[in-house]
Amino acid sequence: MSIGFKTISMGIALWTMPFIAPAQDKAQAAPQLGIDPIDDVIAAMTVDEKVNLIVGFGSTFTSNYSAAIGNSGDLVPGAAGQSNGIPRLGIPTTVLADGPAGLRINSTRPDDPNTYYCTHFPIGTLLACTWDTALVRQVGAAMGNEVLEYGCDVLLAPATNIHRNPLCGRNFEYYSEDPLVSGEIAAAMIQGLQSQGIGTSLKHFALNNQETNRTGNNSIVSPRTAREIYLKPFEIAVKKAQPWTIMSSYNLINGTYAAQRSDLLTDLLRHEWGFEGMVMSDWYGGRNPIEMVLAGNDMIQPGHSTQVAAITNAINQGTLPMDIVNRNVAKILEYVMKTPRFRGYVPTNAPDLGAHAATTRQAAAQGMVLLKNNKKTLPLKAGARVALFGTTSYDIIPGGTGSGDVNSAYTVSLDQGLSDCGFSLSEKLSQSYQDYAAAEKAKLPEKDWFSTRHLIPEMPITPAQAAAYATANNLAIITIGKSAGEGSDRYHDEYYLTDAEQSLIQTVTSAFHKQGKRAVVVLNIPGVIETASWRVQPDAILLAWMGGQETGYAIADVLSGAVNPSGKLTMTFPMDYADVPSAKYYIQPDLYTGDDHNAFVRHQPVDTVGRGTGAYESIYGEGIFVGYRAYDTDGTEVAYPFGYGLSYTTFDYKDPSVSTDAEQITLTFTIKNTGRVAGREVAQAYVHAPGQDMPKPQHELRGFAKTRLLQPGESERLTIQIPLASLASYDESTSSWSLEPLPHTLESGG
Ligand code: BGC
């Protein structure tokens, strides 16, 4: 008896499902995946079938690069891509969909009354600021369940590139300037997602730290810097969580496309780190498909007919060895056998969106960071009358744009969040913002897939108006919103406050202060912005990030004290952009302003499928001194340091004990809540290396842990284990990791 495949119709989607076929004469039947050895299945394939597996589904019909990117599947409309099936060999088509903040598929389908909304979870940066791997696993499980129930096989996430520079347009998808945090959070996300029986694609491998000219950028980096900073998050995540797939990145590394480097995709990833899965390209990544196959970039997505032709030719002419092709095909088949489609899972198209909304609200509140809270301005007094300023207060930004966006059913804005949590808002002010927004939005250009959200300028508020609102209300809340998205870095107005935003903060805070009332700033932003010039003015600042569809509720939870903030920064907020260690090597934020954000990208020559053809180098001249590794070593003053975040309570650290064995250092200590409200604390362990063999940062994060919710007076004993191997530095003279046999200093705190 053999298992074949039939295609049945469900609504408008086609599902490939196993069924029991009548017994056949084994000698004549084609081998079947999952029944017969993979080698037999490969041996039965024609060259065309092999190439069809290597090159994704887009190849059969894609002629237009821009139209296809991000939406080339048809089994699940709106999914980013598909791998091709070979029904005669029992190989189903599989579906690959974005992305890091939730599943990105179309929410409606033609001639179908049903909706396919997905939960918009918080951006990756916010999730990392929770420092809570258990919570991230929970978010991953909820997200993964939607992937499964909507009939997808792989979520193209998580994304764990290092925050090298605050201007990178996709930092919101990424986690941190620190490799340990980036790796641990990515590992937790993979574990959560894959617990649902679907796959992940850890991306973008590697050294993809800018969007400007992203498909032609050449990252020039030393082996030590690559190993210790940029590859480390991937190493941690691969070793801890074994993602089903890894996505190679667009950029070149030291002159060769990442997708064409066998030292990266085969020697390091598989032989050294033990990666067992499949590598796929980023969408239209790489240039030479033959080199990609040779390097171990098993699958090329979304696939293009020119790639099919080139690979087929090379095989037929004998320039691409068949054993290499078979090696990659085997990896693809091993992946396919794990998928829900291969297992015959029948998706319900009905995930529990209500439960997932609760998860995203909880996670969003846990990752918000309280930057300032003078005179206990927060939490707000119950039922306070609030004058709510800022256009994004009424139109909160749930996340970034591009492949990291999500088609959710709704987004809760801050006005709704505050009113539903029992605060009364100035109706007059709300009405004037609504009228203003309606008029301004009508003037905005249409958003295309590659543009960040077009935001309307801040509404001017005169001192007299601000004074009147101060008289009529108990306090002011001012939201500052900034947008970011795939395909473009952040420039002047996205890093600095605009004049209108500066003036709004100034006018409102001074009017409220004159009447002895407080003003709070809420930052609804995708990444680091300039804060040093204005932060003295408000009484409190809440860094809310972008919390997904429940952002308004999550902010209200923190402002009201229903949730005590416990998020801590996973990156540094510098005093000045010029202090950023990579600033002199990176795109300058003041080069492009206003509508000209994408000028650099637009004006470069492009090839037939829209990819930049210029030769652009990005020199990683700051080496391993990224973020706090530079500021702390040089003693540079920063606005808010890495690891920083306030709470409504206080904590004491006591009874530390340290023990060391041949494998690891074990640090144990007690954290006590010494304040008046329940709260959670993030403990961080840093190691200072002697640095006699090579330059070392002042200290480096080597471990962290978060307490449970501690009631006032309650304590918890935490343990942080630091593997000795993780203290080693990469010695370029021997191409190996080396640990100085000298005393290291351990520092810990929160
Ligand atoms: C992005 C990837 C994404 C892919 C599919 C690319 O443009 O870089 O992160 O997964 O598109 O949408």
Side-chain angles (χ1 to χ4, degrees):
M1 192 172 284
S2 74
I3 291 187
F5 279 81
K6 69 175 177 182
T7 303
I8 60 161
S9 208
M10 282 180 44
I12 66 138
L14 293 174
W15 303 105
T16 314
M17 296 183 53
F19 75 110
I20 309 299
Q24 290 176 351
D25 176 357
K26 188 113 202 303
Q28 283 166 19
Q32 295 296 298
L33 186 65
I35 297 177
D36 299 297
I38 279 188
D39 285 349
D40 292 0
V41 177
I42 296 175
M45 282 181 191
T46 63
V47 167
D48 286 350
E49 284 171 334
K50 290 179 185 176
V51 179
N52 212 38
L53 275 185
I54 286 173
V55 181
F57 179 80
S59 62
T60 55
F61 70 102
T62 305
S63 57
N64 182 315
Y65 167 72
S66 330
I69 197 162
N71 187 358
S72 60
D74 72 345
L75 279 186
V76 178
Q82 284 177 195
S83 69
N84 287 311
I86 309 175
R88 78 175 187 94
L89 300 175
I91 303 168
T93 298
T94 71
V95 177
L96 319 164
D98 287 307
L103 177 64
R104 189 174 62 87
I105 56 174
N106 295 348
S107 51
T108 55
R109 298 174 184 174
D111 306 320
D112 181 349
N114 301 314
T115 54
Y116 301 82
Y117 288 113
C118 299
T119 304
H120 199 157
F121 292 92
I123 57 171
T125 302
L126 180 151
L127 290 177
C129 288
T130 66
W131 298 66
D132 185 344
T133 49
L135 180 63
V136 172
R137 262 191 292 277
Q138 193 190 328
V139 170
M143 216 184 264
N145 177 259
E146 294 185 15
V147 176
L148 180 74
E149 297 304 353
Y150 280 132
C152 300
D153 297 285
V154 170
L155 188 75
L156 301 171
T160 193
N161 297 89
I162 288 285
H163 289 182
R164 176 182 177 222
N165 185 292
L167 302 186
C168 173
R170 291 184 88 174
N171 275 354
F172 72 92
E173 297 183 53
Y174 308 149
Y175 297 127
S176 173
E177 68 188 23
D178 179 80
L180 178 70
V181 179
S182 301
E184 292 291 338
I185 300 292
M189 181 53 84
I190 294 165
Q191 287 162 350
L193 285 163
Q194 293 190 171
S195 72
Q196 301 302 299
I198 55 96
T200 55
S201 196
L202 180 62
K203 67 190 187 184
H204 307 92
F205 192 56
L207 286 128
N208 184 182
N209 305 98
Q210 71 183 56
E211 286 301 281
T212 303
N213 189 41
R214 62 180 184 161
T215 58
N217 183 55
N218 183 11
S219 300
I220 309 284
V221 66
S222 73
R224 180 180 177 202
T225 300
R227 291 277 192 157
E228 289 186 25
I229 305 293
Y230 296 96
L231 296 173
K232 194 50 113 182
F234 291 94
E235 179 182 354
I236 294 170
V238 164
K239 288 181 175 169
K240 279 202 147 167
Q242 280 291 348
W244 288 10
T245 82
I246 284 190
M247 187 188 292
S248 57
S249 58
Y250 282 133
N251 53 288
L252 300 89
I253 302 172
N254 295 336
T256 305
Y257 281 97
Q260 297 171 201
R261 292 198 77 113
S262 59
D263 56 355
L264 183 74
L265 304 183
T266 297
D267 302 345
L268 181 75
L269 182 59
R270 302 179 206 265
H271 298 163
E272 206 180 307
W273 296 349
F275 175 60
E276 293 161 5
M278 171 185 91
V279 175
M280 71 175 85
S281 69
D282 197 347
W283 268 229
Y284 294 95
R287 283 295 190 280
N288 181 332
I290 321 284
E291 293 295 328
M292 291 166 81
V293 174
L294 286 168
N297 190 109
D298 307 302
M299 188 184 279
I300 300 179
Q301 279 293 339
H304 199 276
S305 50
T306 54
Q307 295 161 330
V308 171
I311 297 172
T312 310
N313 254 343
I315 295 174
N316 290 339
Q317 284 169 12
T319 49
L320 180 57
M322 193 56 94
D323 57 336
I324 296 285
V325 171
N326 291 347
R327 174 197 70 178
N328 294 8
V329 168
K331 282 288 160 203
I332 296 169
L333 294 182
E334 284 164 17
Y335 146 72
V336 169
M337 285 172 66
K338 292 192 252 185
T339 59
R341 263 208 179 57
F342 182 81
R343 297 195 314 266
Y345 186 77
V346 181
T348 60
N349 285 319
D352 188 346
L353 296 178
H356 299 171
T359 302
T360 192
R361 175 172 176 171
Q362 183 203 354
Q366 293 288 325
M368 294 181 182
V369 183
L370 184 60
L371 296 179
K372 177 176 180 182
N373 194 18
N374 277 10
K375 298 192 197 134
K376 298 197 173 152
T377 297
L378 298 175
L380 303 176
K381 292 204 175 41
R385 268 185 326 221
V386 176
L388 185 60
F389 295 92
T391 53
T392 47
S393 291
Y394 302 88
D395 193 8
I396 212 90
I397 309 170
T401 56
S403 56
D405 210 349
V406 178
N407 298 315
S408 62
Y410 60 86
T411 298
V412 177
S413 248
L414 185 52
D415 56 336
Q416 187 188 340
L418 287 170
S419 335
D420 290 0
C421 288
F423 296 98
S424 54
L425 302 187
S426 161
E427 280 177 23
K428 190 176 163 212
L429 187 55
S430 304
Q431 192 57 53
S432 57
Y433 270 107
Q434 273 154 31
D435 296 344
Y436 172 80
E440 286 297 318
K441 275 188 181 166
K443 300 181 203 161
L444 291 179
E446 281 238 334
K447 180 188 169 304
D448 67 39
W449 201 78
F450 267 124
S451 58
T452 51
R453 264 182 196 82
H454 295 300
L455 301 180
I456 57 176
E458 266 313 329
M459 182 174 85
I461 297 280
T462 64
Q465 288 169 328
Y469 287 120
T471 308
N473 295 280
N474 300 126
L475 85 154
I477 295 178
I478 308 159
T479 304
I480 299 294
K482 301 273 186 196
S483 170
E486 179 183 353
S488 162
D489 287 308
R490 295 165 64 225
Y491 298 110
H492 193 277
D493 286 356
E494 287 144 353
Y495 182 75
Y496 296 102
L497 262 49
T498 60
D499 291 347
E501 289 164 339
Q502 288 275 10
S503 147
L504 178 70
I505 293 178
Q506 207 275 326
T507 309
V508 171
T509 52
S510 68
F512 276 72
H513 287 167
K514 269 187 203 142
Q515 299 191 28
K517 295 177 178 172
R518 310 269 175 86
V520 177
V521 167
V522 170
L523 297 175
N524 176 208
I525 54 175
V528 170
I529 61 164
E530 189 276 329
T531 55
S533 66
W534 57 268
R535 64 183 171 148
V536 293
Q537 299 173 52
D539 304 283
I541 306 173
L542 177 66
L543 171 52
W545 297 121
M546 295 172 165
Q549 67 186 42
E550 299 281 319
T551 300
Y553 283 140
I555 297 174
D557 288 341
V558 174
L559 294 177
S560 67
V563 173
N564 185 351
S566 60
K568 305 243 184 194
L569 297 179
T570 59
M571 77 300 292
T572 311
F573 277 56
M575 289 297 287
D576 189 37
Y577 177 73
D579 296 335
V580 174
S582 57
K584 56 178 175 291
Y585 308 104
Y586 213 78
I587 314 108
Q588 295 303 302
D590 48 359
L591 282 186
Y592 305 104
T593 56
D595 288 339
D596 208 19
H597 286 185
N598 289 318
F600 185 81
V601 181
R602 269 203 312 271
H603 294 160
Q604 63 166 309
V606 291
D607 69 8
T608 49
V609 288
R611 301 174 298 200
T613 54
Y616 300 94
E617 290 192 342
S618 181
I619 298 175
Y620 285 53
E622 72 282 8
I624 61 159
F625 292 92
V626 175
Y628 73 88
R629 283 171 167 76
Y631 303 120
D632 293 353
T633 308
D634 301 343
T636 307
E637 187 194 354
V638 300
Y640 300 106
F642 178 85
Y644 173 87
L646 302 173
S647 166
Y648 298 152
T649 189
T650 48
F651 298 97
D652 239 15
Y653 284 63
K654 355 180 250 190
D655 307 328
S657 89
V658 181
S659 64
T660 311
D661 61 26
E663 296 288 307
Q664 62 187 9
I665 304 167
T666 304
L667 169 65
T668 313
F669 49 93
T670 299
I671 295 183
K672 182 174 181 190
N673 182 347
T674 52
R676 297 212 179 132
V677 290
R680 302 182 69 194
E681 168 71 332
V682 175
Q684 302 154 41
Y686 296 84
V687 173
H688 168 75
Q692 285 187 8
D693 55 350
M694 54 185 110
K696 300 277 167 80
Q698 172 63 23
H699 55 208
E700 297 181 89
L701 184 79
R702 295 305 190 200
F704 62 89
K706 190 166 187 175
T707 66
R708 61 172 187 273
L709 187 71
L710 296 177
Q711 296 303 321
E714 202 186 346
S715 300
E716 181 175 351
R717 198 136 176 91
L718 288 185
T719 298
I720 295 178
Q721 279 165 336
I722 305 175
L724 287 180
S726 75
L727 305 183
S729 297
Y730 193 76
D731 185 346
E732 295 181 354
S733 66
T734 57
S735 297
S736 64
W737 292 92
S738 92
L739 180 59
E740 288 178 288
L742 290 167
H744 287 59
T745 316
L746 187 61
E747 305 159 5
S748 63

